[in-house]
Amino acid sequence: MTQNNSDPASSEGTPVLVAVGEGLLEVGVRDDLPSDYLGRGFGGDVANVAVMAARMGTRARLLTRLGADAPGRLLLDFWRRAHLDVEWIAVDPSAPTGMYVNAVRQGGHAFGYYRSGSAATRLSAADMDKRLLDGAGALHVSGISLAISGSAAQAAERAAELARDSGVAVTFCVNHRRMLRPDTDRNLAFARAADIVILSSEDARAVLGTDRPDRVRAALGEGPQEIVLTDGPAGAVVLTGGEIHRVAAPPVVVVDTAGAGDALAGAYLAGRLAGTAPPDALELAVIAGALSCRWPGCARSYPSAQEIARVRAGASPDVEPSYGESA
């Protein structure tokens, strides 16, 4: 099936991906650049998923809260340029926008988060309205959406209730983060009730005690119709219809892996909303995740639909990426 391009006008009438959770401003530091270098980036897992979906040509809507501050304004401006529907983003003058530091070092990166008491943690069930799901094909939530605060978890759960009442698919990225002290039972219940579950091998081992695809399938039960299990540079598998489909990742020169899993998730969900079969959607998604590693930062590093198509057609993945803030 033909994949949508990144022109927002071309996606009119297609199902909307609705994401509920947090956005974060990124401050990037690198060991291989001068000591006065500071990079500006844009993150938050569900926000990243929405940006990647929009780059694939999918209409994407984000519900979150931002502070009335410079980080909030930078995020909102970036999301608008990325063609997200930002109508449901509330500005809270009494709380700051969350931030994180992405310190890229030889052999990996380290995150430092500053989100305690952030505006996004004040999301609540009162923020939910059925109109949020107008035109929606899927509601996307993550384990971080459930973990940043009790009220945010209630917001995500209420959104899922409304989605099911409206016949909208629920998708869930497990994104288990120990530092947030997640309620594993709550997250597992959400995953088992979701239609599509995306998790890394690390997530699977932490939450399910195994990363073997057959055992992951058994542990999540019969609720999820599709399970995407990612494994970094090894690629990913999708379990659906009693079958397991594997996709290897293309080799790239890795600069920063931050946000690669979100890129994969966003491209996969965009493909599925466009009617692409799970194995083909996963192929696009794995390419998207790999290409995102060529530049530092999260959403700013995401490739376009055209870049992904070129690599799928056999082009080298290490051609000059279309890096920048525009989608």
Side-chain angles (χ1 to χ4, degrees), residues 286-310:
V286 168
I287 293 171
L291 295 184
S292 76
C293 298
R294 298 172 300 169
W295 285 90
C298 288
R300 285 187 66 186
S301 69
Y302 289 172
S304 67
Q306 289 80 10
E307 287 179 278
I308 293 168
R310 286 196 297 270

mmCIF file of all heavy atoms in Angstrom, residues 286-310:
data_model
loop_
_atom_site.group_PDB
_atom_site.id
_atom_site.type_symbol
_atom_site.label_atom_id
_atom_site.label_comp_id
_atom_site.label_asym_id
_atom_site.label_seq_id
_atom_site.Cartn_x
_atom_site.Cartn_y
_atom_site.Cartn_z
ATOM 1 N N VAL A 286 11.542 0.303 11.361
ATOM 2 C CA VAL A 286 12.923 -0.028 11.730
ATOM 3 C C VAL A 286 13.898 0.897 11.000
ATOM 4 O O VAL A 286 14.896 1.354 11.583
ATOM 5 C CB VAL A 286 13.214 -1.510 11.441
ATOM 6 C CG1 VAL A 286 14.705 -1.799 11.540
ATOM 7 C CG2 VAL A 286 12.449 -2.391 12.423
ATOM 8 N N ILE A 287 13.611 1.196 9.746
ATOM 9 C CA ILE A 287 14.456 2.144 9.008
ATOM 10 C C ILE A 287 14.400 3.516 9.674
ATOM 11 O O ILE A 287 15.431 4.178 9.862
ATOM 12 C CB ILE A 287 14.021 2.232 7.537
ATOM 13 C CG1 ILE A 287 14.295 0.915 6.829
ATOM 14 C CG2 ILE A 287 14.741 3.370 6.825
ATOM 15 C CD1 ILE A 287 13.694 0.826 5.432
ATOM 16 N N ALA A 288 13.193 3.955 10.054
ATOM 17 C CA ALA A 288 13.046 5.258 10.703
ATOM 18 C C ALA A 288 13.854 5.326 11.987
ATOM 19 O O ALA A 288 14.559 6.310 12.256
ATOM 20 C CB ALA A 288 11.572 5.546 10.982
ATOM 21 N N GLY A 289 13.762 4.275 12.809
ATOM 22 C CA GLY A 289 14.519 4.262 14.057
ATOM 23 C C GLY A 289 16.010 4.314 13.828
ATOM 24 O O GLY A 289 16.744 5.024 14.524
ATOM 25 N N ALA A 290 16.485 3.566 12.834
ATOM 26 C CA ALA A 290 17.918 3.556 12.548
ATOM 27 C C ALA A 290 18.389 4.916 12.046
ATOM 28 O O ALA A 290 19.421 5.443 12.496
ATOM 29 C CB ALA A 290 18.237 2.465 11.517
ATOM 30 N N LEU A 291 17.637 5.498 11.113
ATOM 31 C CA LEU A 291 18.050 6.788 10.553
ATOM 32 C C LEU A 291 18.060 7.892 11.606
ATOM 33 O O LEU A 291 18.845 8.840 11.518
ATOM 34 C CB LEU A 291 17.134 7.187 9.394
ATOM 35 C CG LEU A 291 17.162 6.288 8.150
ATOM 36 C CD1 LEU A 291 16.283 6.875 7.055
ATOM 37 C CD2 LEU A 291 18.588 6.093 7.639
ATOM 38 N N SER A 292 17.213 7.777 12.615
ATOM 39 C CA SER A 292 17.168 8.816 13.648
ATOM 40 C C SER A 292 18.446 8.866 14.473
ATOM 41 O O SER A 292 18.708 9.861 15.156
ATOM 42 C CB SER A 292 15.968 8.583 14.577
ATOM 43 O OG SER A 292 16.222 7.525 15.488
ATOM 44 N N CYS A 293 19.246 7.816 14.418
ATOM 45 C CA CYS A 293 20.469 7.751 15.227
ATOM 46 C C CYS A 293 21.637 8.506 14.607
ATOM 47 O O CYS A 293 22.703 8.590 15.212
ATOM 48 C CB CYS A 293 20.883 6.289 15.433
ATOM 49 S SG CYS A 293 19.681 5.288 16.334
ATOM 50 N N ARG A 294 21.452 9.075 13.412
ATOM 51 C CA ARG A 294 22.571 9.714 12.715
ATOM 52 C C ARG A 294 22.878 11.107 13.231
ATOM 53 O O ARG A 294 23.923 11.679 12.903
ATOM 54 C CB ARG A 294 22.263 9.796 11.211
ATOM 55 C CG ARG A 294 22.075 8.458 10.537
ATOM 56 C CD ARG A 294 21.574 8.642 9.111
ATOM 57 N NE ARG A 294 20.308 9.338 9.097
ATOM 58 C CZ ARG A 294 19.740 9.831 7.993
ATOM 59 N NH1 ARG A 294 20.355 9.705 6.827
ATOM 60 N NH2 ARG A 294 18.575 10.449 8.059
ATOM 61 N N TRP A 295 21.969 11.693 14.005
ATOM 62 C CA TRP A 295 22.154 13.042 14.517
ATOM 63 C C TRP A 295 21.791 13.076 15.987
ATOM 64 O O TRP A 295 21.035 12.229 16.462
ATOM 65 C CB TRP A 295 21.275 14.041 13.746
ATOM 66 C CG TRP A 295 21.785 14.371 12.385
ATOM 67 C CD1 TRP A 295 21.496 13.738 11.219
ATOM 68 C CD2 TRP A 295 22.699 15.409 12.050
ATOM 69 N NE1 TRP A 295 22.159 14.317 10.169
ATOM 70 C CE2 TRP A 295 22.911 15.352 10.658
ATOM 71 C CE3 TRP A 295 23.366 16.401 12.797
ATOM 72 C CZ2 TRP A 295 23.746 16.228 9.982
ATOM 73 C CZ3 TRP A 295 24.200 17.272 12.131
ATOM 74 C CH2 TRP A 295 24.393 17.189 10.750
ATOM 75 N N PRO A 296 22.303 14.041 16.744
ATOM 76 C CA PRO A 296 21.970 14.115 18.164
ATOM 77 C C PRO A 296 20.539 14.578 18.387
ATOM 78 O O PRO A 296 19.941 15.238 17.544
ATOM 79 C CB PRO A 296 22.973 15.139 18.714
ATOM 80 C CG PRO A 296 23.331 15.991 17.542
ATOM 81 C CD PRO A 296 23.292 15.069 16.347
ATOM 82 N N GLY A 297 20.021 14.219 19.542
ATOM 83 C CA GLY A 297 18.694 14.683 19.921
ATOM 84 C C GLY A 297 17.604 13.711 19.525
ATOM 85 O O GLY A 297 17.832 12.713 18.853
ATOM 86 N N CYS A 298 16.396 14.044 19.962
ATOM 87 C CA CYS A 298 15.256 13.173 19.692
ATOM 88 C C CYS A 298 14.525 13.615 18.433
ATOM 89 O O CYS A 298 14.964 13.344 17.328
ATOM 90 C CB CYS A 298 14.335 13.145 20.909
ATOM 91 S SG CYS A 298 15.024 12.217 22.308
ATOM 92 N N ALA A 299 13.421 14.333 18.577
ATOM 93 C CA ALA A 299 12.538 14.576 17.432
ATOM 94 C C ALA A 299 13.211 15.349 16.298
ATOM 95 O O ALA A 299 12.861 15.168 15.130
ATOM 96 C CB ALA A 299 11.278 15.309 17.896
ATOM 97 N N ARG A 300 14.171 16.201 16.600
ATOM 98 C CA ARG A 300 14.846 16.955 15.530
ATOM 99 C C ARG A 300 15.621 16.041 14.596
ATOM 100 O O ARG A 300 15.903 16.409 13.450
ATOM 101 C CB ARG A 300 15.804 17.981 16.126
ATOM 102 C CG ARG A 300 15.131 19.209 16.712
ATOM 103 C CD ARG A 300 16.159 20.251 17.121
ATOM 104 N NE ARG A 300 16.860 20.791 15.970
ATOM 105 C CZ ARG A 300 17.887 21.642 16.055
ATOM 106 N NH1 ARG A 300 18.325 22.035 17.233
ATOM 107 N NH2 ARG A 300 18.467 22.102 14.970
ATOM 108 N N SER A 301 15.982 14.871 15.048
ATOM 109 C CA SER A 301 16.804 13.973 14.241
ATOM 110 C C SER A 301 15.977 13.051 13.356
ATOM 111 O O SER A 301 16.546 12.248 12.615
ATOM 112 C CB SER A 301 17.688 13.115 15.155
ATOM 113 O OG SER A 301 16.906 12.178 15.888
ATOM 114 N N TYR A 302 14.662 13.152 13.414
ATOM 115 C CA TYR A 302 13.840 12.166 12.720
ATOM 116 C C TYR A 302 13.856 12.360 11.209
ATOM 117 O O TYR A 302 13.792 13.481 10.714
ATOM 118 C CB TYR A 302 12.402 12.214 13.241
ATOM 119 C CG TYR A 302 12.258 11.668 14.645
ATOM 120 C CD1 TYR A 302 11.060 11.776 15.330
ATOM 121 C CD2 TYR A 302 13.322 11.056 15.296
ATOM 122 C CE1 TYR A 302 10.915 11.282 16.608
ATOM 123 C CE2 TYR A 302 13.195 10.565 16.578
ATOM 124 C CZ TYR A 302 11.984 10.679 17.238
ATOM 125 O OH TYR A 302 11.866 10.180 18.512
ATOM 126 N N PRO A 303 13.908 11.259 10.475
ATOM 127 C CA PRO A 303 13.965 11.344 9.015
ATOM 128 C C PRO A 303 12.600 11.652 8.415
ATOM 129 O O PRO A 303 11.560 11.497 9.068
ATOM 130 C CB PRO A 303 14.421 9.942 8.605
ATOM 131 C CG PRO A 303 13.834 9.059 9.672
ATOM 132 C CD PRO A 303 13.953 9.861 10.950
ATOM 133 N N SER A 304 12.605 12.063 7.168
ATOM 134 C CA SER A 304 11.361 12.280 6.439
ATOM 135 C C SER A 304 10.881 10.964 5.833
ATOM 136 O O SER A 304 11.637 9.992 5.726
ATOM 137 C CB SER A 304 11.579 13.299 5.320
ATOM 138 O OG SER A 304 12.436 12.762 4.323
ATOM 139 N N ALA A 305 9.622 10.956 5.406
ATOM 140 C CA ALA A 305 9.087 9.775 4.726
ATOM 141 C C ALA A 305 9.867 9.481 3.455
ATOM 142 O O ALA A 305 10.080 8.318 3.088
ATOM 143 C CB ALA A 305 7.613 9.994 4.414
ATOM 144 N N GLN A 306 10.334 10.540 2.787
ATOM 145 C CA GLN A 306 11.080 10.348 1.547
ATOM 146 C C GLN A 306 12.429 9.673 1.808
ATOM 147 O O GLN A 306 12.865 8.804 1.041
ATOM 148 C CB GLN A 306 11.280 11.692 0.844
ATOM 149 C CG GLN A 306 10.013 12.278 0.249
ATOM 150 C CD GLN A 306 9.131 12.966 1.295
ATOM 151 O OE1 GLN A 306 9.553 13.171 2.436
ATOM 152 N NE2 GLN A 306 7.921 13.326 0.903
ATOM 153 N N GLU A 307 13.119 10.085 2.879
ATOM 154 C CA GLU A 307 14.392 9.437 3.228
ATOM 155 C C GLU A 307 14.188 7.962 3.520
ATOM 156 O O GLU A 307 14.973 7.110 3.087
ATOM 157 C CB GLU A 307 15.002 10.118 4.451
ATOM 158 C CG GLU A 307 15.582 11.490 4.200
ATOM 159 C CD GLU A 307 16.127 12.057 5.496
ATOM 160 O OE1 GLU A 307 15.353 12.598 6.296
ATOM 161 O OE2 GLU A 307 17.347 11.931 5.687
ATOM 162 N N ILE A 308 13.140 7.661 4.262
ATOM 163 C CA ILE A 308 12.858 6.266 4.606
ATOM 164 C C ILE A 308 12.576 5.457 3.351
ATOM 165 O O ILE A 308 13.073 4.337 3.184
ATOM 166 C CB ILE A 308 11.668 6.207 5.583
ATOM 167 C CG1 ILE A 308 12.070 6.842 6.929
ATOM 168 C CG2 ILE A 308 11.207 4.774 5.792
ATOM 169 C CD1 ILE A 308 10.903 7.099 7.848
ATOM 170 N N ALA A 309 11.782 6.034 2.438
ATOM 171 C CA ALA A 309 11.470 5.335 1.191
ATOM 172 C C ALA A 309 12.721 5.092 0.364
ATOM 173 O O ALA A 309 12.872 4.023 -0.256
ATOM 174 C CB ALA A 309 10.446 6.141 0.394
ATOM 175 N N ARG A 310 13.642 6.064 0.342
ATOM 176 C CA ARG A 310 14.870 5.890 -0.438
ATOM 177 C C ARG A 310 15.716 4.748 0.119
ATOM 178 O O ARG A 310 16.264 3.937 -0.627
ATOM 179 C CB ARG A 310 15.673 7.193 -0.458
ATOM 180 C CG ARG A 310 15.082 8.268 -1.357
ATOM 181 C CD ARG A 310 16.096 9.356 -1.641
ATOM 182 N NE ARG A 310 16.506 10.078 -0.455
ATOM 183 C CZ ARG A 310 15.906 11.176 0.003
ATOM 184 N NH1 ARG A 310 14.845 11.661 -0.626
ATOM 185 N NH2 ARG A 310 16.354 11.785 1.072
#
